[in-house]
């Protein structure tokens, strides 16, 4: 008997290419520029051995994909996750090119990481893995060439290890010039005050702009967050300050729900003590597969890609989805949301606060300055609000959705760079 085959799930890189092709067609992107931007510049794969705590040697595979540097050095995070592969790195590097261009930064796009589950390794092992990965990448990264930052399962401490390792490979007189090889470092090691909250803050700034555009505010709006790591927590923190009500949270450990509201600060303390969000007082466990169908005003997916798909997009009741993660809505899911009148603040705009914060840190290190939290927040808000307004204006000009408008805005800037500069030789 013939069986009905389930349609093939679109991969993350295919998603990015679909979005790019749609925007290129709508704007009439120059054909030569289109060819250049449809491929990556460099794809680096390194295999390196690391001695484990038990004396055994394990071999790891690390990736760094450099998509385009027409506007400046490659910029983008490093993630430690079992799903890291060359396809994911290509997709994320390409997104970074659009994100940095849209934000008006002098950067291109890069991304990478190591295929591993960091929970399975001790702190000492993670340090040796990180340092060895840095050494294996060698001059494929550099403060004026390719500048990594934290991403999924990586943090400020790991960035400090990368900076220290990279600087140690330089002559003593050159070391201090290389501190900005990575951003997202601890404040005591050249990091920027406020970099930790920049992405989550940016998500909320774009939501404030969305509310203003719709003649409302975030006060009293009910919202749910997928992922309660750095981005999810800080987004909830700033939503709480705006008077919004958190009613549902999902992460790798489970899903919790309380229609009366969940205090994000108390939940963070509970999560820190218990390594889970489940069981938090006053909440009930909720079926994880029904999470995006929770009746709310705002959804903030702040975990991994391809979470809202054709399988669950029709259940979404929210008015807006703010993409704290990269690519949380796949192509089929997006078609359904648009048809249902759900607005989407696209990832290359919504979560760009992190890379803008990284740019500020890079400038601070490069110029030998120290910026205060107040400096950072004011400058960050201005860049995000400017980018949001440009996307809305482009959307009106081209009569298209916000994601396509964001791409058009980003691609226009890169197209201009190529046309003005020409191609060598």
């Amino acid at each position: 008997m013939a069986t009905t085959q389930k349609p093939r799930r679109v991969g993350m890189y295919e998603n990015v290419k679909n979005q790019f092709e749609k925007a290129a067609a709508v704007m009439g992107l120059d054909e030569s520029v289109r060819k250049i931007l449809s491929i990556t510049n460099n794809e680096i794969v390194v295999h390196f051995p690391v001695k484990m705590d038990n004396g055994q040697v394990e071999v790891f595979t690390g990736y760094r994909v450099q998509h385009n540097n027409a506007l400046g050095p490659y910029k983008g995070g490093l993630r430690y996750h079992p799903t890291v592969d060359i396809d994911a790195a290509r997709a994320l590097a390409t997104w970074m090119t659009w994100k940095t261009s849209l934000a008006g930064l002098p950067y291109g796009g890069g991304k990478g990481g190591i295929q591993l589950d960091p929970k399975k390794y001790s702190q000492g092992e993670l340090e040796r893995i990180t340092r060895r990965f840095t050494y294996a990448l060698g001059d494929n990264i550099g403060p004026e060439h390719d500048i990594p930052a934290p991403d999924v399962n990586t943090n400020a401490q790991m960035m400090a290890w990368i900076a220290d390792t990279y600087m140690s490979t330089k002559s003593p007189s050159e070391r201090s010039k290389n501190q900005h090889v990575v951003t997202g470092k601890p404040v005591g090691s050249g990091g920027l005050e406020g970099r930790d909250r920049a992405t989550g803050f940016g998500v909320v700034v774009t939501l404030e702009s969305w509310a203003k555009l719709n003649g409302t505010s975030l006060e009293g709006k009910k919202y749910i967050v997928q992922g309660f790591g750095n981005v999810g927590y800080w987004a909830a923190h700033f939503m709480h300050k705006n008077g919004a009500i958190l009613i549902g949270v999902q992460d790798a450990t489970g899903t919790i729900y309380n229609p009366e509201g969940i205090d994000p600060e108390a939940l963070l303390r509970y999560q820190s003590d218990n390594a889970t969000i489940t069981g938090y007082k006053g909440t009930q466990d909720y079926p994880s597969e029904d999470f995006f169908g929770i009746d709310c005003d705002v959804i903030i997916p702040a975990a991994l890609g391809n979470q809202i798909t054709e399988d669950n997009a029709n259940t979404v009741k929210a008015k807006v989805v703010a993409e704290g993660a990269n690519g949380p809505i796949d192509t089929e899911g997006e078609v359904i949301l648009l048809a249902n009148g759900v607005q989407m603040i696209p990832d290359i705009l919504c979560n760009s606060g992190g890379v803008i914060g990284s740019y500020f840190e890079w400038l601070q290190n490069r110029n030998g300055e120290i910026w205060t939290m107040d400096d950072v927040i004011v400058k960050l808000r201005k860049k995000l609000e400017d980018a949001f307004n440009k996307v809305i204006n482009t959307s009106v000009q081209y009569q298209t959705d916000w994601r396509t408008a964001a791409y058009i805005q980003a691609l226009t800037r890169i197209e201009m760079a190529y046309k003005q500069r020409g191609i060598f030789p």
Side-chain angles (χ1 to χ4, degrees):
M1 191 171 82
T3 56
T4 307
Q5 277 196 321
K6 194 172 171 56
R8 182 179 64 83
R9 174 72 69 225
V10 174
M12 201 187 284
Y13 188 46
E14 212 171 322
N15 242 357
V16 181
K17 288 196 288 189
N18 289 341
Q19 292 166 356
F20 167 69
E21 292 296 343
K22 180 182 176 184
V26 171
M27 70 182 285
L29 181 66
D30 179 90
E31 196 55 43
S32 298
V33 176
R34 190 171 177 165
K35 283 178 189 170
I36 295 166
L37 295 180
S38 65
I39 56 164
T40 58
N41 284 358
N42 304 301
E43 298 183 355
I44 300 127
V45 182
V46 291
H47 307 286
F48 54 95
V50 180
K51 188 177 279 189
M52 298 290 103
D53 291 343
N54 63 7
Q56 298 291 311
V57 168
E58 206 170 310
V59 177
F60 295 88
T61 299
Y63 302 91
R64 188 67 182 173
V65 171
Q66 297 164 337
H67 174 251
N68 187 272
N69 63 346
L71 298 175
Y74 304 105
K75 185 84 191 78
L78 292 172
R79 61 175 56 185
Y80 289 1
H81 198 272
T83 61
V84 171
D85 59 18
I86 198 72
D87 191 67
R90 279 182 193 128
L92 294 160
T94 306
W95 265 319
M96 284 304 300
T97 299
W98 316 146
K99 192 183 295 186
T100 53
S101 176
L102 177 62
L105 305 180
Y107 288 145
K111 207 78 169 194
I114 307 173
Q115 192 174 80
L116 61 78
D117 180 354
K119 295 187 189 73
K120 294 180 178 173
Y121 299 92
S122 70
Q123 184 78 344
E125 287 171 337
L126 287 172
E127 178 174 356
R128 294 194 294 279
I129 291 165
T130 302
R131 288 182 180 276
R132 191 62 206 245
F133 180 37
T134 307
Y135 189 75
L137 285 172
D139 285 337
N140 287 301
I141 60 171
E144 308 293 332
H145 172 53
D146 184 353
I147 307 127
D151 200 84
V152 176
N153 291 336
T154 53
N155 55 32
Q157 176 60 74
M158 292 169 181
M159 297 306 110
W161 292 333
I162 293 173
D164 182 66
T165 306
Y166 185 84
M167 289 162 71
S168 297
T169 65
K170 306 301 171 187
S171 66
S173 62
E174 296 292 314
R175 281 173 195 165
S176 63
K177 296 178 186 174
N178 288 278
Q179 190 178 41
H180 52 302
V181 65
V182 286
T183 56
K185 300 180 294 292
V187 173
S189 301
L192 180 82
E193 275 195 32
R195 173 61 184 84
D196 57 346
R197 66 207 66 190
T199 310
F201 176 72
V203 169
V204 179
V205 170
T206 62
L207 277 167
E208 289 170 2
S209 298
W210 164 83
K212 188 176 171 186
L213 185 72
N214 285 279
T216 183
S217 78
L218 297 177
E219 178 86 36
K221 294 279 188 295
K222 293 191 170 183
Y223 71 101
I224 60 175
V225 175
Q226 185 193 45
F228 204 67
N230 182 270
V231 179
Y233 161 68
W234 282 109
H237 170 88
F238 289 108
M239 288 292 278
H240 190 68
K241 279 184 174 294
N242 273 279
I245 303 161
L246 177 63
I247 62 170
V249 181
Q250 180 178 85
D251 73 358
T253 65
T255 304
I256 57 172
Y257 174 70
N258 180 354
E260 302 305 310
I262 299 166
D263 178 351
E265 309 305 325
L267 179 60
L268 181 71
R269 289 192 294 272
Y270 177 86
Q271 183 196 47
S272 300
D273 293 341
N274 299 279
T276 182
I277 59 168
T278 58
Y280 175 64
K281 66 173 191 284
T283 65
Q284 61 191 70
D285 286 347
Y286 199 85
S288 288
E289 63 276 12
D290 298 334
F291 178 69
F292 291 113
I294 290 175
D295 194 359
C296 62
D297 301 297
V298 178
I299 294 176
I300 303 174
L304 294 169
N306 290 347
Q307 298 300 299
I308 299 178
T309 67
E310 63 183 345
D311 297 335
N312 58 14
N314 265 319
T315 68
V316 169
K317 299 177 184 67
K319 298 180 182 71
V320 64
V321 180
E323 294 187 324
N326 292 309
I329 305 169
D330 75 3
T331 311
E332 292 88 349
E334 178 149 0
V335 169
I336 294 167
L337 293 182
L338 286 171
N340 292 345
V342 179
Q343 291 183 305
M344 284 164 279
I345 306 176
D347 46 12
I348 66 168
L349 168 64
C350 188
N351 66 35
S352 62
V355 73
I356 297 169
S358 279
Y359 170 60
F360 295 158
E361 181 179 327
W362 185 73
L363 280 181
Q364 175 185 264
N365 294 162
R366 212 177 179 212
N367 300 334
E369 298 173 353
I370 296 176
W371 295 17
T372 67
M373 179 79 78
D374 290 344
D375 296 331
V376 172
I377 293 297
V378 170
K379 288 173 187 285
L380 193 53
R381 177 179 287 281
K382 181 168 189 334
K383 272 212 166 286
L384 286 156
E385 288 176 347
D386 286 351
F388 185 93
N389 291 333
K390 282 177 184 172
V391 169
I392 299 306
N393 292 338
T394 305
S395 168
V396 171
Q397 181 187 343
Y398 285 90
Q399 291 295 291
T400 190
D401 61 273
W402 290 359
R403 187 185 311 283
T404 305
Y407 268 62
I408 290 170
Q409 187 64 38
L411 291 169
T412 300
R413 188 170 166 234
I414 301 168
E415 180 184 44
M416 189 185 298
Y418 273 110
K419 284 187 169 177
Q420 290 175 345
R421 202 172 68 185
I423 294 171
F424 174 84

